[in-house]
């Protein structure tokens, strides 16, 4: 009895120890499984969030390209032109970019177990009849083969249950038998039906052009400033006159080669030497000369072309969600540009740049252009805070005579920095930075030009006013010690937002921030130097806008195939008759002579027609407008040759007005 008691008494401790060990291991593995499940859920949420971001970004890209109908259902009031109208005007490479984007959008939707709204094969279909394709605007240009344009995007199948046709083959520029970007065959420019003189034959090798900016409530954009640089004729921006898009001109880059532009400007590829603008007689148009309708359609095509162009150059762009910033409804600072303009137009109708911004520029131009260190030397922080509070309280009654140069410079930079939406916009800010990945200056300028055409009107006009002022500052660098690079380094942080802030930063982050600052300064330097080209619409973009307008008109009237063929034959006969006569009728409802028939010749310009009309109100500048036909409305430059415009758009109306 006594010998068995120890064994009996020792059993319970062993059992307890085993049970505790079992409980501990079970708890451990339960915690491990719980942590793994949480990680899996977090990974799934992260993938879903990334998928959501990618879907939203792709959807935003398609909407900005004017293809909202492919991803959403819009009301008739806010809907852009039908997608088939836009797609019918694209080149092969531009259409391939849209197709790639739509593919990515649909594939991302599938990963989220959602049915795509429209499959890409329902969008890019073979046309049923070649006669269904949208014709281009009447033109006698010898170049620009029609096969370059994408003609397999005419019809969008709206029936989801219809059998999907075979995918069309997209032919890229580097697959075409004839290479337009070959350095051994420089581009030939036949830019207008009646133009027989080439740019290198008739124009001065030191042609200069300038932009002006009047910083007043009655803001206008007409040339008064002339470059101080003497530029060789080889630096002329003749690529603006080509009928082939930029994305096709860089086809050699796809094969690791060099395009004609890179070879042509090799050795003079300096960002500080401006390209010579093309003379206005060549028929180019500025962005502010087009109507809002044409600008909207120009934005659609520019958006697609920019993506295609950067992709051809091997430059990747990545968008990010815009950060939330404080917005105010009243005052001056941290107020959206459109809100400021809406208030200013109550007193100054038609103003395009906020009055307070113009006042700051005028103050600096009048007293600060020769001040040493202007824009660089900071003013008193307490004084700037007081002036800001006073401007926000009563901008209309503000005493500008009490503002010193350094204070006006500080207020100018503060105004730009605190805009709720950056001057270059959240949408395009990352694309601006990606331009730094382009190796050639000529292609950087082309990309910046497309980006400038994409900016909203308020942002574009305000940026234009700023760049004109900065060029004036640089022109006085002998007095103010502010070179082009100094001005660019000072203004870059106000235009580009840098992500790394704070005192405690690693060396790697400091180096990254410095690289971003230098890159931003390089972009500002390019925009200051080549600002005369940023607002000019290249010939190929205006041609595509005309094609889109013509296709939209046919779609709107809903003409049948037979009717279109009949009208096409009739219009061709009428066009030949009218072209031989070369007579236009100009309407001037605000003048003594309200209408006049004018015989056109190869020398007749817009200013010659305006001088034939007596103006009742001599205080307002009169302009000749091209209205209707394949354009909504275009203000013609005084030196443009009218016969060129007539042959491109023979069915337009001619109107004289302010």
């Amino acid at each position: 009895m006594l010998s068995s008691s120890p064994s009996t008494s020792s059993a319970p401790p062993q059992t307890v120890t085993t049970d505790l060990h079992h409980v501990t291991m079970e708890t451990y593995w339960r915690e491990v499984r719980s942590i793994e499940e949480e990680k899996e859920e977090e990974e799934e949420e992260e993938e879903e969030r990334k998928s959501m971001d990618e879907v939203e970004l792709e959807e935003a890209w398609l909407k900005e390209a004017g293809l909202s109908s492919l991803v959403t259902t819009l009301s008739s009031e806010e809907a852009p032109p039908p997608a088939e109208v836009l797609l019918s005007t694209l080149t092969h490479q531009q259409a391939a970019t849209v197709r790639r984007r739509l593919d990515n959008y649909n594939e991302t939707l599938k990963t989220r177990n959602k049915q795509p709204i429209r499959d890409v094969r329902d969008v890019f279909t073979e046309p049923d009849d070649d006669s269904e394709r949208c014709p281009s605007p009447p033109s006698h240009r010898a170049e620009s083969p029609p096969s370059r344009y994408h003609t397999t995007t005419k019809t969008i199948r709206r029936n989801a249950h219809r059998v999907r046709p075979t995918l069309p083959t997209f032919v890229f520029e580097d697959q075409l038998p004839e290479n337009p970007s070959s350095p051994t065959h420089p581009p030939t420019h036949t830019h207008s039906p009646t133009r027989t003189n080439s740019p290198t034959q008739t124009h001065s090798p030191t042609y200069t052009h300038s932009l002006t900016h009047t910083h007043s409530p009655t803001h206008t954009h007409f040339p008064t400033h002339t470059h101080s640089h003497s530029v060789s004729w080889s630096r002329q921006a003749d690529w603006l006159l080509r009928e082939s898009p930029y994305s096709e001109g860089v086809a050699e880059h796809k094969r690791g080669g060099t395009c004609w532009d890179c070879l042509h400007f090799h050795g003079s590829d300096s960002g500080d030497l401006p390209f010579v603008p093309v003379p206005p007689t060549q028929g180019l148009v500025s962005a502010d000369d087009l109507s809002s309708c044409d600008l909207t359609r120009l934005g659609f095509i520019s958006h697609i072309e920019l993506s295609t162009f950067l992709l051809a150059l091997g430059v990747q762009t990545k968008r990010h969600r815009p950060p939330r910033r404080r917005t105010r409804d009243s005052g001056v600072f941290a107020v959206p540009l459109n809100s400021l303009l809406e208030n200013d137009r109550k007193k100054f109708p038609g103003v395009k740049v906020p009055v307070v911004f113009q006042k700051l520029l005028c103050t600096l131009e009048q007293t600060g252009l020769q001040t040493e260190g202007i824009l660089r030397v900071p003013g008193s922080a307490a004084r700037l805070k007081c002036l800001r509070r006073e401007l926000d309280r009563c901008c209309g009654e503000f005493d500008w005579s009490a503002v010193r140069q350094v204070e006006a410079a500080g207020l100018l930079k503060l105004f730009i920095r605190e805009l709720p939406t950056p001057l270059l916009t959240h949408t395009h800010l990352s694309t601006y930075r990606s331009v730094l990945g382009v190796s050639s200056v000529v292609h950087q300028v082309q990309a910046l030009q497309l980006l400038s055409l994409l900016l909203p009107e308020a942002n574009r006009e305000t940026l234009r006013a700023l760049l004109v002022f900065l060029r004036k500052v640089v022109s006085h660098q002998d007095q103010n010690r502010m070179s082009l690079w100094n001005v660019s380094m000072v203004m870059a942080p106000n235009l580009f937002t840098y992500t790394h802030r704070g005192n405690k930063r690693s060396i790697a982050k400091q180096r990254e921030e410095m690289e971003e600052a230098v890159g931003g300064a390089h972009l500002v330097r390019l925009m200051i130097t080549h600002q005369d080209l940023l607002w000019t619409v290249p010939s190929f973009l205006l041609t595509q806008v005309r094609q889109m307008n013509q296709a939209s008109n046919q779609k709107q009237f809903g003409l049948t195939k037979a009717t279109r063929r009949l009208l096409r034959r009739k219009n061709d006969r009428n066009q030949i008759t009218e072209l031989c006569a070369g007579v236009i009728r100009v309407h001037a409802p605000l003048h003594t002579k309200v209408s006049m028939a004018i015989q056109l010749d190869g020398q007749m310009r817009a200013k010659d027609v305006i001088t034939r009309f007596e103006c009742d109100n001599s205080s307002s500048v009169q302009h000749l407008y091209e209205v209707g036909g394949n354009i909504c409305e275009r203000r013609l430059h005084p030196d443009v040759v009218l016969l060129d415009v007539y042959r491109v758009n023979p069915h337009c109306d001619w109107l004289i007005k302010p």
Side-chain angles (χ1 to χ4, degrees):
M1 292 291 295
L2 294 174
S3 61
S4 63
S5 60
S7 60
T8 306
S9 61
S10 61
Q14 293 179 1
T15 304
V16 172
T17 303
T18 304
D19 292 343
L20 289 176
H21 178 73
H22 176 71
V23 171
T24 302
M25 294 302 295
E26 183 179 356
T27 304
Y28 169 77
W29 289 113
R30 186 186 300 116
E31 291 295 329
V32 170
R33 287 193 297 270
S34 177
I35 293 173
E36 290 178 348
E37 290 176 357
E38 289 179 358
K39 287 184 177 179
E40 290 177 358
E41 291 178 358
E42 290 178 357
E43 290 176 357
E44 290 177 358
E45 291 177 357
E46 180 68 16
E47 290 180 0
E48 185 176 355
R49 185 185 64 81
K50 290 182 179 179
S51 176
M52 174 71 72
D53 290 344
E54 190 172 357
V55 167
E56 290 178 354
L57 292 176
E58 293 295 341
E59 183 175 333
W61 189 95
L62 291 169
K63 288 182 178 179
E64 291 166 16
L67 301 172
S68 303
S69 59
L70 301 183
V71 294
T72 57
T73 302
L74 300 176
S75 63
S76 58
E77 296 180 355
E78 60 179 354
E84 59 265 32
V85 171
L86 174 59
L87 294 173
S88 65
T89 66
L90 302 182
T91 64
H92 294 289
Q93 295 194 44
Q94 292 171 348
T97 300
V98 175
R99 184 184 186 187
R100 195 161 30 241
R101 289 282 186 166
L102 194 58
D103 268 332
N104 189 27
Y105 174 77
N106 288 337
E107 288 298 325
T108 309
L109 282 180
K110 290 178 182 178
T111 61
R112 296 170 54 190
N113 298 323
K114 289 188 176 181
Q115 180 66 24
I117 294 180
R118 188 170 298 161
D119 190 272
V120 66
R121 287 171 291 184
D122 295 331
V123 178
F124 294 90
T125 60
E126 296 288 350
D128 300 330
D129 187 2
D130 288 343
S131 63
E132 189 84 14
R133 298 174 182 173
C134 300
S136 59
S139 174
H140 298 272
R141 292 179 173 89
E143 60 175 8
S144 306
S147 61
R148 188 183 73 248
Y149 288 97
H150 179 77
T151 56
T152 61
T153 58
K154 177 61 185 173
T155 307
I156 291 182
R157 307 297 183 188
R158 300 188 178 275
N159 187 356
H161 302 287
R162 185 175 299 182
V163 178
R164 292 169 179 168
T166 305
L167 282 172
T169 301
F170 289 90
V171 181
F172 287 91
E173 189 68 17
D174 54 1
Q175 299 171 341
L176 294 177
E178 183 179 355
N179 181 16
S181 63
S182 175
T184 59
H185 298 86
T188 304
H189 310 297
T190 311
H191 309 295
S192 118
T194 59
R195 194 173 293 120
T196 57
N197 55 322
S198 64
T200 56
Q201 293 174 341
T202 59
H203 303 295
S204 169
T206 57
Y207 173 80
T208 57
H209 181 68
S210 62
L211 250 184
T212 105
H213 195 88
T214 305
H215 303 300
S216 65
T218 56
H219 176 77
T220 57
H221 305 290
F222 291 98
T224 58
H225 178 79
T226 305
H227 291 307
S228 59
H229 304 279
S230 178
V231 188
S232 111
W233 183 254
S234 64
R235 293 281 295 182
Q236 186 184 21
D238 54 355
W239 30 268
L240 291 169
L241 297 170
R242 298 176 194 162
E243 287 300 322
S244 59
Y246 298 154
S247 55
E248 294 189 0
V250 296
E252 283 290 334
H253 289 272
K254 288 185 178 180
R255 298 190 290 266
T258 304
C259 69
W260 188 86
D261 280 333
C262 291
L263 291 177
H264 180 65
F265 296 108
H266 179 70
S268 61
D269 204 13
S270 172
D272 295 341
L273 190 62
F275 293 102
V276 181
V278 177
T281 54
Q282 300 293 325
L284 292 178
V285 61
S286 179
D288 58 345
D289 290 333
L290 295 175
S291 65
S292 59
C293 175
D294 292 321
L295 281 176
T296 300
R297 299 184 175 188
L298 176 70
F300 295 156
I301 301 174
S302 299
H303 178 68
I304 298 174
E305 168 61 17
L306 177 63
S307 299
T308 308
F309 180 56
L310 294 178
L311 188 63
L313 291 171
V315 177
Q316 299 294 330
T317 58
K318 181 65 177 178
R319 288 189 180 182
H320 304 282
R321 287 179 179 270
R324 295 182 179 180
R325 303 184 66 174
R326 180 172 57 93
T327 303
R328 301 173 55 195
D329 297 330
S330 61
V332 170
F333 296 90
V335 178
L337 289 175
N338 287 331
S339 299
L340 292 173
L341 289 173
E342 184 179 353
N343 292 329
D344 292 340
R345 285 167 182 165
K346 296 176 182 178
K347 189 175 181 180
F348 305 104
V351 67
K352 295 183 177 180
V353 178
V355 173
V356 63
F357 193 80
Q358 297 186 40
K359 290 288 188 181
L360 289 170
L361 295 180
C362 285
T363 302
L364 288 169
E365 287 184 10
Q366 292 172 1
T367 60
L369 289 179
Q370 299 181 358
T371 302
E372 184 173 349
I374 188 64
L375 296 177
R376 177 175 54 82
V377 177
S380 169
R383 176 64 175 164
L384 287 178
K385 186 176 181 179
C386 179
L387 290 173
R388 170 184 174 161
R389 189 184 307 113
E390 189 68 18
L391 274 171
D392 280 333
R393 188 179 62 86
C394 54
C395 178
E397 301 175 0
F398 185 77
D399 184 13
W400 290 96
S401 61
V403 180
R404 299 187 302 165
Q405 300 94 326
V406 291
E407 296 166 352
L411 291 173
L412 177 68
K413 293 185 288 186
L414 183 65
F415 177 88
I416 298 173
R417 266 196 322 272
E418 294 205 353
L419 285 172
T421 300
L423 193 58
L424 303 179
T425 71
H426 288 301
T427 302
H428 306 299
L429 205 55
S430 60
T431 310
Y432 271 98
R433 294 194 184 100
S434 68
V435 174
L436 296 171
V438 179
S439 58
S440 172
V441 170
V442 62
H443 295 325
Q444 287 180 336
V445 174
Q446 290 169 345
L448 290 175
Q449 180 191 41
L450 294 174
L451 278 167
S452 300
L453 296 177
L454 287 174
L455 293 176
E457 182 183 9
N459 298 65
R460 184 176 64 249
E461 297 298 337
T462 304
L463 176 64
R464 187 176 193 171
L466 176 65
L467 294 179
V468 170
F469 165 72
L470 295 180
R471 182 166 59 183
K472 293 179 181 179
V473 173
V474 175
S475 66
H476 291 78
Q477 59 180 315
D478 293 338
Q479 294 82 27
N480 56 36
R481 307 297 181 186
M482 292 296 291
S483 64
L484 176 61
W485 182 250
N486 290 340
V487 172
S488 302
M489 283 294 293
V490 170
M491 294 305 300
N494 303 283
L495 292 172
F496 299 94
T497 304
Y498 303 134
T499 56
H500 302 295
R501 302 291 176 86
N503 297 326
K504 296 182 179 179
R505 293 169 296 172
S506 65
I507 296 178
K509 288 186 177 181
Q510 292 180 15
R511 186 181 298 110
E512 182 180 353
E513 184 175 344
M514 179 57 67
E515 290 176 356
E516 287 182 352
V518 173
H522 177 71
L523 293 175
V524 175
R525 181 182 66 174
L526 286 176
M527 288 191 286
I528 295 175
T529 304
H530 306 286
Q531 59 182 276
D532 291 338
L533 307 179
L534 299 183
W535 333 111
T536 304
V537 180
S539 290
F540 74 89
L541 282 182
L542 186 60
T543 298
Q544 288 186 277
V545 170
R546 291 184 184 276
Q547 291 174 344
M548 191 173 177
N549 286 331
Q550 186 166 336
S552 179
N553 292 338
Q554 293 180 353
K555 182 72 177 179
Q556 180 180 1
F557 290 110
L559 301 178
T560 62
K561 297 179 183 179
T563 305
R564 290 179 186 177
R565 285 194 293 266
L566 180 62
L567 289 178
R568 191 178 297 119
R569 297 193 194 100
K570 181 179 179 181
N571 289 337
D572 290 342
R573 290 194 299 268
N574 292 339
Q575 180 182 346
I576 295 174
T577 304
E578 294 175 2
L579 189 59
C580 294
V583 177
I584 64 172
R585 179 163 294 278
V586 181
H587 301 276
L590 301 180
H591 293 65
T592 303
K593 297 180 180 179
V594 295
S595 179
M596 181 185 298
I598 296 178
Q599 175 74 45
L600 296 181
D601 55 39
Q603 304 299 323
M604 179 73 67
R605 304 187 181 188
K607 61 183 179 182
D608 299 329
V609 173
I610 296 176
T611 56
R612 297 193 181 189
F613 289 81
E614 297 180 6
C615 183
D616 298 332
N617 185 9
S618 58
S619 61
S620 60
V621 180
Q622 302 294 304
H623 299 278
L624 181 61
Y625 287 80
E626 169 196 0
V627 183
N630 53 38
I631 203 79
C632 291
E633 184 175 283
R634 169 193 172 190
R635 182 174 59 195
L636 299 176
H637 190 280
D639 291 326
V640 71
V641 179
L642 295 184
L643 193 57
D644 296 345
V645 181
Y646 174 78
R647 291 190 171 182
V648 173
N649 191 8
H651 304 294
C652 72
D653 294 324
W654 307 81
L655 181 65
I656 293 180
K657 64 178 183 178

